[in-house]
Each structure stands twice: as structure tokens, then as C-alpha cells.
Amino acid sequence: MYLLMCRGMVSSASRPREDSWLKSLFVRKVDPRKDAHSNLLAKRETSSLYKLQIHNVKPECLEAYNKLCQEVLPKIHEEKHYPCALVGTWNTWYGEQDQAVHLWRYEGGYPALNEVMSKLRQNKEFTEFRKERGNMLLSRKNQLLLEFSFWNEPVPREGPNIYELRSYQLRPGTMIEWGNYWARAIRFRQDNNEAVGGFFSQIGQLYMVHHLWAYKDLQTREDIRNAAWHKPGWDELVYYTGNILTPLECWRQTFLQASILILHYVVQ
């Protein structure tokens, strides 16, 4: 499902005030030609790499798929000689149906990822698991992600909760701009501890960011999101971040591309 939002044009008369506000927004001056955005935006105190897996499951196989994942995945990745952790496993509730979403954390970055993949290829139980799982899937995709430096680390939460995964496709070259806006915007969304994690893509579909939120229920989600609009400055941040998303042509109007999934937690 796409979130579609129209944005109006800004008059030239407001340009000086807008430029001044933009200059005050950035938390630091960055010349993107001198360093990769991954070095400028990612957490320096950790070397964690994340993998986001999205599996489209045959509708008649979803229950069996969940049961298989619950039996195999935690058991394999709780072993100490695998430097990774299963952060969460979800089914979509609203959005793309019959879909499973998995988020993994690799402690130690790419070397840890390579080590895990190498060991799993030697693991007969995992090999059988992949074969059985493959018969249940229609399609699958994944991305390798890094954490934004200004987001908190994903940690286990008391439930039950619903989770919202908001994925945004940015215009090429605007990742640092997005990060600087959200370094301020995240402060508007911390009162209720709803911010789970914020990530940006490194390998897979590029120029993508993912925000993961947790709420007690849909009404709590609605109340928290509405409350943000009463905080001075939130509306401006939403406006300016919206302007750096990839535009889509639809009904002769330009909309902003963002996909939203409401997720139900599967594996504790």
C-alpha cells in the first residue's frame, strides 16, 4: 500500500525565510563529496549490520510457514558461534497480505555476515529448512541496512504490540539531507517510546530508509501520530522530508512514494 500525500508549491517570496530555516536545521555541515553517507549517518559506536527479509508466502502455506520458522530460526541463531541475532519476525496485518518480514542483526558488520552465511551452508538442518520453506514462497527479497546514528537500538519489548514499518524511497543524493531532518524529527516521536529503529539501505534497493514503530494498538497509533502535529516544528519537518521522496506520476498529479505495513509479531 502506498501513502499518497499532495504537497503545495512554495512561493518565491518565502524563499529567504525558507533558506534561513534550512541552514538552522542541519545538525552539521556535510560535503557529500568527501565521505560516504554511510560513514556520516551510521552509528560509530557499533558495527552492526542489519538484514531485512521480505517473503511473499502462498496464502495456503502461511500457517505452516510460521510454524516452521518458529521451530528452526530461533534455535539456529541462538547458538553462540553465530554472530547474529533475530531481532523480529512479523506477518503483515494491513498492507501486502500473506507476507512475512524478518529483521536480523549481525554483530561485527560484513565479516559477521560472511561468517554466518558460510556456517549456514554447512548446516544440514538449515539446508533442509530452506528447501521446505522455498516450496511455500511466491517470491522473496532482502536488503542490507545500517542504523541511523540518532535512532535507539532495537530492543525486546513487552507485548502484545503492533508494529509499523514505513519504507521511503528517496531521490538519489538526498540521504544525508533526510538524515539531518530526522535527527531533529525523532525528538518529536520519543514521548511514548514508539520508535523502535531507523535504517537506511546499503545493498539491495538503494536510497531507501525504513522506520520501525511499535504501538499498543491501532487507536494508540492514531492518538500518538495526531499528537505530533500539535508540537511546533513537526509540520515543517514533514513538509521538507516529503519533498525529497521519489515522485510518482498518478492522475496527472505528483504524489510521494512511501509504503506502510502494519505488522503482527510472530516470534518472541
Side-chain angles (χ1 to χ4, degrees):
M1 178 177 72
Y2 290 108
L3 174 66
L4 306 180
M5 299 179 288
C6 290
R7 300 297 182 198
M9 299 298 291
V10 179
S11 67
S12 58
S14 65
R15 184 63 61 187
R17 184 184 66 84
E18 175 185 318
D19 289 344
S20 176
W21 184 86
L22 281 173
K23 290 178 181 178
S24 68
L25 176 65
F26 291 109
V27 295
R28 56 178 174 244
K29 293 182 179 180
V30 174
D31 185 348
R33 295 170 295 178
K34 294 182 180 179
D35 205 350
H37 67 254
S38 59
N39 293 331
L40 297 169
L41 296 175
K43 290 184 178 178
R44 295 184 180 273
E45 63 272 21
T46 66
S47 57
S48 295
L49 179 71
Y50 288 80
K51 179 165 67 176
L52 181 68
Q53 293 180 308
I54 298 178
H55 292 168
N56 292 308
V57 185
K58 296 176 183 178
E60 67 275 14
C61 296
L62 186 59
E63 184 177 350
Y65 173 95
N66 287 338
K67 183 179 179 180
L68 182 65
C69 289
Q70 288 175 337
E71 291 175 351
V72 177
L73 293 183
K75 180 171 61 176
I76 290 179
H77 292 279
E78 283 174 0
E79 297 182 18
K80 293 182 179 179
H81 62 284
Y82 286 99
C84 70
L86 180 59
V87 177
T89 293
W90 299 267
N91 287 147
T92 54
W93 190 7
Y94 291 103
E96 190 78 23
Q97 296 295 284
D98 304 310
Q99 192 172 78
V101 178
H102 308 279
L103 183 64
W104 303 91
R105 178 170 53 231
Y106 297 88
E107 306 289 351
Y110 292 109
L113 173 67
N114 292 335
E115 180 182 347
V116 170
M117 295 299 101
S118 177
K119 288 180 177 179
L120 288 179
R121 283 192 289 268
Q122 312 290 328
N123 188 312
K124 293 182 179 180
E125 183 179 9
F126 186 77
T127 301
E128 292 301 317
F129 160 75
R130 287 198 64 184
K131 288 180 180 179
E132 187 174 354
R133 184 189 66 182
N135 293 329
M136 302 178 184
L137 300 182
L138 293 171
S139 64
R140 59 194 180 101
K141 64 179 180 180
N142 59 30
Q143 283 183 321
L144 295 181
L145 315 171
L146 294 177
E147 292 178 276
F148 281 114
S149 60
F150 47 83
W151 278 75
N152 46 284
E153 189 90 3
V155 295
R157 291 169 176 254
E158 294 185 5
N161 296 299
I162 61 169
Y163 292 80
E164 181 176 16
L165 180 65
R166 301 176 73 93
S167 302
Y168 301 90
Q169 183 71 56
L170 306 188
R171 299 176 188 271
T174 61
M175 184 67 72
I176 293 175
E177 187 177 356
W178 176 276
N180 277 292
Y181 285 133
W182 266 95
R184 293 192 62 186
I186 192 64
R187 291 184 247 165
F188 292 92
R189 299 296 307 276
Q190 297 283 18
D191 293 346
N192 299 281
N193 196 33
E194 69 268 26
V196 177
F199 313 93
F200 58 97
S201 62
Q202 282 291 282
I203 296 178
Q205 188 171 348
L206 298 180
Y207 307 111
M208 284 201 72
V209 296
H210 304 279
H211 294 177
L212 185 61
W213 310 90
Y215 306 97
K216 179 182 177 182
D217 51 41
L218 287 175
Q219 186 57 54
T220 301
R221 170 188 177 272
E222 183 75 2
D223 294 341
I224 290 174
R225 288 176 56 79
N226 286 341
W229 289 97
H230 297 286
K231 299 177 181 179
W234 172 254
D235 56 341
E236 291 181 315
L237 290 167
V238 171
Y239 173 81
Y240 284 106
T241 53
N243 279 339
I244 61 177
L245 299 182
T246 300
L248 295 177
E249 293 298 324
C250 184
W251 299 300
R252 298 184 181 179
Q253 298 182 52
T254 300
F255 296 94
L256 307 179
Q257 182 175 336
S259 61
I260 300 174
L261 297 174
I262 302 296
L263 309 171
H264 173 66
Y265 205 62
V266 177
V267 174
Q268 298 295 333

